[in-house]
Amino acid sequence: YNFAFFDEKLQLLADSGIQIIALVHDAPYWAAEYPAGPIYPDRIDEFAQFLTDLVGRYKQPPYNIHHWELINEPDQIEILDVENPWYGGYGFDGDQYADMLAQTYPAIKAVDSSATVLMGGVAHDWFEEYGDTLPFYRYFPDDVMAGGGGDFLDATNFHYFPDFYYEWERWNTNGAPTCGIVDDGLGTPYEAKGIDVIAKTRHFRNRLRVCFGVDKPIWITEMGEHGYAGDLGSLGQQARFVLQGYARALAVGVENVTWFALVTPPYEDHAQGLLYKDDWSPKPAFYAYQTLTYELTGYQYSDTLDVPKVEGYVFRDGSGHEKVMAWSWGDALESGSVVFAPANQLQVVDREGRVTIVRDGGPGDADQIPGSVTIRLPAVPVRPDPALLRRYTAEPLIIFK
């Protein structure tokens, strides 16, 4: 193998302090017809040896890589366009992906027992059943688990983008999905209610648990939102979603979340990067991400608020200190409030990291009741469509004593 290119790049990343999740994005050319598989059955042994060599090299310093994800979005259908083999994937052949895991998982563990082997992050949206040009097969995870793939994974993994929120929130009013065809009303039902990434996580986790007896940690190795240069509305919403998306994912028990991407890659223009594509200067979302990581480092999700007109999540550190991330929530432009009692003063942090001190009875205390401080959460309209107002009127704040 010629490792020189990756040695240099991975060392730069490791030297910067980044903990690397290594994605074997495509199969080597000799292992599969299309870049994302399936692996030729008579080449799985060689593919396992390739992974053994890869893991053995990069588990060592300075790289210290111990997380491996096998094939990006393997739920892509096998081929959409013969002129564009990028879309090659396992798709309808989830059983073959399970067979690949059965042989490669032991090989990886043999060379690095501490390695975490991740299912390739499935898109699990934009399903081919909605149109013959759409690329992803809904039941790919089912086929992997039915083929025994769950025995050869340390964590399951999907991608989430709020463009597809309705696919998952629809179960809030339509009863529950069932094993087999999700909406045929037959088979065993499972709970999938919630909003946004919470709804998708519950659907994914509970389907695997109920229908296949697989209960593994969940990772999200791609989550993002659009932030188009010059579009203040989308840039603001992207920054808000950094805080909202992470808070929701952590609240529903997702073990690891990776934003996609630091910079939008050259092969697409969905503008989900935290930096502008042209000059790598920071977007508002970059500062929101900075605020998120600074404020929540050392804190774990603890509770969800139950307050009218408010969506909020409580995070607690090892000493019992609490921080609350909250925003207004409703079908109309209404501002909610959060009451802290007893409290003499609070620190309120906005998504840009600006800190405001609100003292009991002082400016910003909405109740003027001695011994308590009430913070009124701003509601910010940024989309004109009334049907979407519920989703886009939320300016998150992080609040703590």
Side-chain angles (χ1 to χ4, degrees):
Y1 307 117
N2 179 2
F3 286 111
F5 175 86
F6 290 104
D7 285 355
E8 178 186 3
K9 303 302 183 187
L10 295 175
Q11 181 164 353
L12 286 170
L13 288 170
D15 290 348
S16 73
I18 290 174
Q19 184 177 6
I20 299 169
I21 303 168
L23 165 62
V24 181
H25 191 288
D26 298 330
Y29 73 92
W30 46 261
E33 181 177 3
Y34 302 120
I39 304 298
Y40 296 126
D42 61 352
R43 288 295 177 90
I44 292 182
D45 287 346
E46 287 91 339
F47 185 61
Q49 184 61 52
F50 161 71
L51 292 176
T52 297
D53 297 339
L54 202 63
V55 173
R57 183 179 188 85
Y58 291 122
K59 74 175 183 179
Q60 304 174 69
Y63 316 107
N64 300 312
I65 299 176
H66 301 283
H67 298 82
W68 294 91
E69 179 182 350
L70 301 182
I71 308 297
N72 185 59
E73 296 187 343
D75 54 334
Q76 293 179 52
I77 61 177
E78 288 185 8
I79 193 69
L80 284 177
D81 180 354
V82 294
E83 302 299 325
N84 187 1
W86 173 266
Y87 287 104
Y90 277 85
F92 300 121
D93 297 312
D95 57 333
Q96 293 188 45
Y97 187 83
D99 292 342
M100 182 271 289
L101 290 176
Q103 296 191 57
T104 57
Y105 181 87
I108 293 172
K109 289 292 191 176
V111 72
D112 183 5
S113 61
S114 67
T116 297
V117 180
L118 304 172
M119 180 181 186
V122 290
H124 205 52
D125 272 320
W126 210 16
F127 297 123
E128 53 82 31
E129 66 202 62
Y130 295 140
D132 58 8
T133 61
L134 300 183
F136 301 108
Y137 180 48
R138 181 190 295 271
Y139 301 105
F140 172 82
D142 291 20
D143 294 345
V144 174
M145 301 309 154
D151 294 333
F152 302 101
L153 290 168
D154 297 311
T156 56
N157 181 12
F158 65 79
H159 297 165
Y160 181 76
F161 300 96
D163 309 65
F164 304 101
Y165 76 92
Y166 181 73
E167 174 64 41
W168 311 108
E169 288 189 18
R170 66 188 174 117
W171 301 112
N172 291 338
T173 55
N174 286 352
T178 54
C179 296
I181 304 301
V182 295
D183 52 6
D184 64 5
L186 305 176
T188 305
Y190 54 91
E191 190 272 327
K193 294 186 185 300
I195 56 172
D196 197 59
V197 67
I198 292 176
K200 185 170 182 177
T201 302
R202 285 179 176 161
H203 184 285
F204 193 80
R205 173 190 289 134
N206 291 338
R207 185 173 183 86
L208 297 191
R209 280 177 176 172
V210 172
C211 306
F212 303 98
V214 174
D215 190 6
K216 296 290 178 75
I218 290 181
W219 288 39
I220 299 176
T221 52
E222 287 187 21
M223 183 172 72
E225 171 67 294
H226 312 290
Y228 296 101
D231 182 344
L232 297 181
S234 73
L235 290 169
Q237 176 54 24
Q238 183 189 40
R240 283 184 281 272
F241 186 73
V242 167
L243 276 73
Q244 294 169 332
Y246 271 84
R248 291 165 177 162
L250 295 172
V252 78
V254 176
E255 189 170 280
N256 186 89
V257 184
T258 302
W259 185 269
F260 182 81
L262 181 61
V263 182
T264 300
Y267 54 79
E268 56 107 306
D269 195 30
H270 299 309
Q272 293 169 149
L274 299 177
L275 307 179
Y276 288 106
K277 190 173 184 177
D278 293 339
D279 62 2
W280 289 26
S281 61
K283 294 181 183 179
F286 175 87
Y287 297 109
Y289 196 93
Q290 192 174 56
T291 299
L292 172 81
T293 55
Y294 180 81
E295 293 296 336
L296 293 190
T297 293
Y299 283 74
Q300 302 290 328
Y301 166 75
S302 174
D303 300 294
T304 298
L305 295 183
D306 183 11
V307 178
K309 304 178 186 177
V310 170
E311 181 182 356
Y313 304 95
V314 181
F315 297 85
R316 184 177 290 118
D317 70 6
S319 301
H321 299 127
E322 292 183 350
K323 294 186 178 183
V324 174
M325 190 188 304
W327 51 89
S328 292
W329 183 254
D331 291 319
L333 183 56
E334 299 176 332
S335 181
S337 299
V338 183
V339 180
F340 294 81
N344 295 318
Q345 73 172 32
L346 301 174
Q347 295 186 59
V348 180
V349 184
D350 67 14
R351 58 179 163 86
E352 295 184 5
R354 292 177 296 227
V355 179
T356 302
I357 304 299
V358 179
R359 293 182 172 86
D360 184 15
D365 179 6
D367 65 19
Q368 301 298 307
I369 299 173
S372 73
V373 179
T374 296
I375 302 298
R376 189 172 299 281
L377 301 170
V380 182
V382 298
R383 293 289 176 91
D385 185 349
L388 296 178
L389 191 60
R390 175 178 66 88
R391 306 190 59 74
Y392 294 98
T393 59
E395 190 66 54
L397 298 175
I398 299 175
I399 308 163
F400 58 100
K401 295 182 182 181

